Amino acid sequence: MHRAQALSAFGGGALEDIMSLTPIGVRRIDESRPKITIATLREQKLDHQPITCLTAYDYAAARLVDEAGIDMVLVGDSLAQAMLGYENTLSVTMDEMLHHVKAVRRGVKNALLVADMPYGSYQVDAQEAVRNAARFMKEGGAEVVKIEGGEKRADLIRHIIDAEIPVAGHIGLTPQSVNVMGGYKVQGKNLNAIEQLMRDAVALDRAGVACIFLEGIPREVATMITAEVGTPTIGIGAGPECDGQVLVFHDILNLTFGPAAKFVRRYGDAAALITNAVQAFRADVRSHQYPSDEESYHLPKETKAGLDTVLDRKRAMRR
Ligand code: KIV
């Protein structure tokens, strides 16, 4: 239990005494807003109400994203780069993903929580894929798992759905195929590729996925797919006609240390905010401006008087 909570559970304690480092508190569902489910996504598509989705990888970000009213929170394997500093998404493991999904679960209450299945966790065989997907539900508290690939993953996706696990599809620029694609390139730019993407989308639709992420494809192709399938489409670099849009949390906040892709819109500069705060703290410590007397703990009056007496006596003895 958190120290502040522990103290209040035992009848409280003076605020002065509370040494809590991060008094964040437990997050509860906001009853004034609906809980988003996979059925809500379908309703939003039918009602032409755009679906909003952002990635989150830790408790604080998840909580902020959820409290801001975002419909879906994706614990994307993009955390490989954004949180863990890996070169690409291929290295991140099931255990690393689960660690982040659990933290995000504690912060998300109203949004639909989607967990990305990392590279290698579903490619080997269907049994292992179901086992790993079930870990995200059972241990991580995810409500949907996301799998990259279209037509060729349809049977596998059916197996996972048979195990009562909702699945999100992901087609177009699928980062786990970076070596096959020969880089992060926009997909679906010629007629054969468009035909394949249409087949992929229809196969996922028929397999019964909860939604289809469309990444890095021309606007025209995303428009056709969105019109063709009953499943809600969530675009990233796929133009405005998708049923919803997803962006990476770190991208919209300038926390990526590099040039942004064309589709990224920066909504804030957390890098500048953090750098300024860190530099200001450093300067305050170096110049003895932090901490002030108000930011320090003090002895109770009687103890202070007693201590002064003891110190006076010691000084007198030394003379
Ligand atoms: O990992 C991720 O963040 C994703 C989104 C970009 C769709 O898969």
Side-chain angles (χ1 to χ4, degrees):
M1 192 190 286
H2 195 271
R3 176 148 165 82
Q5 288 169 280
L7 284 172
S8 71
F10 287 100
L15 203 58
E16 166 82 9
D17 289 339
I18 295 174
M19 262 302 291
S20 163
L21 295 178
T22 49
I24 291 178
V26 174
R27 172 102 167 82
R28 298 209 161 72
I29 192 159
D30 176 355
E31 307 278 359
S32 67
R33 290 195 290 128
K35 168 74 190 95
I36 307 295
T37 66
I38 60 172
T40 321
L41 304 185
R42 294 228 164 216
E43 285 162 23
Q44 286 187 234
K45 175 166 179 131
L46 289 173
D47 295 345
H48 303 288
Q49 189 191 324
I51 299 162
T52 56
C53 180
L54 277 175
T55 65
Y57 315 119
D58 60 33
Y59 174 80
R63 201 176 156 153
L64 291 170
V65 168
D66 190 40
E67 285 176 0
I70 291 291
D71 299 312
M72 288 168 80
V73 173
L74 169 67
V75 186
D77 61 355
S78 50
L79 71 80
Q81 295 110 309
M83 294 297 286
L84 304 177
Y86 287 130
E87 184 91 1
N88 54 42
T89 59
L90 300 178
S91 315
V92 71
T93 66
M94 265 304 294
D95 287 339
E96 285 168 330
M97 288 298 299
L98 256 175
H99 176 74
H100 288 273
V101 173
K102 287 179 191 174
V104 170
R105 174 71 284 169
R106 291 188 280 269
V108 168
K109 296 299 169 204
N110 292 75
L112 182 72
L113 179 55
V114 183
D116 228 347
M117 301 227 16
Y119 176 67
S121 70
Y122 59 92
Q123 286 89 347
V124 178
D125 62 50
Q127 271 196 340
E128 195 180 339
V130 172
R131 203 175 302 121
N132 283 326
R135 284 190 73 195
F136 277 128
M137 314 294 283
K138 224 178 169 61
E139 297 172 45
E143 293 159 295
V144 178
V145 298
K146 179 163 82 59
I147 283 184
E148 292 188 9
E151 209 175 14
K152 70 177 174 192
R153 301 274 177 240
D155 285 340
L156 171 69
I157 287 171
R158 282 197 186 87
H159 270 99
I160 299 176
I161 296 174
D162 271 354
E164 321 303 340
I165 302 171
V167 176
H170 183 166
I171 56 175
L173 192 172
T174 45
Q176 292 177 14
S177 317
V178 59
N179 293 320
V180 178
M181 293 182 304
Y184 299 104
K185 296 176 185 157
V186 174
Q187 303 294 298
K189 295 224 282 193
N190 60 53
L191 293 182
N192 284 342
I194 295 169
E195 203 186 320
Q196 182 59 53
L197 274 174
M198 292 303 293
R199 278 208 302 271
D200 287 337
V202 169
L204 292 178
D205 190 40
R206 290 194 182 139
V209 293
C211 61
I212 306 173
F213 286 84
L214 301 178
E215 179 166 356
I217 61 174
R219 175 178 182 172
E220 297 82 353
V221 181
T223 305
M224 286 196 307
I225 292 174
T226 301
E228 182 68 24
V229 297
T231 305
T233 60
I234 315 290
I236 174 161
E241 281 83 16
C242 299
D243 298 307
Q245 298 292 330
V246 57
L247 282 174
V248 168
F249 183 83
H250 287 55
D251 281 343
I252 67 167
L253 289 167
N254 189 29
L255 283 172
T256 48
F257 305 98
K262 178 180 181 175
F263 60 81
V264 170
R265 188 177 294 179
R266 293 224 192 280
Y267 287 91
D269 193 351
L273 193 79
I274 292 170
T275 302
N276 289 340
V278 170
Q279 285 176 346
F281 167 71
R282 179 178 182 273
D284 280 355
V285 172
R286 287 280 184 106
S287 60
H288 304 279
Q289 305 285 307
Y290 178 84
S292 66
D293 189 51
E294 289 73 34
E295 288 158 329
S296 307
Y297 295 98
H298 293 279
L299 285 174
K301 252 192 214 135
E302 317 76 64
T303 316
K304 174 86 170 68
L307 183 66
D308 286 346
T309 311
V310 171
L311 293 176
D312 283 349
R313 262 190 225 139
K314 276 196 174 164
R315 260 181 240 118
M317 281 164 66
R318 256 187 253 127
R319 267 186 235 128

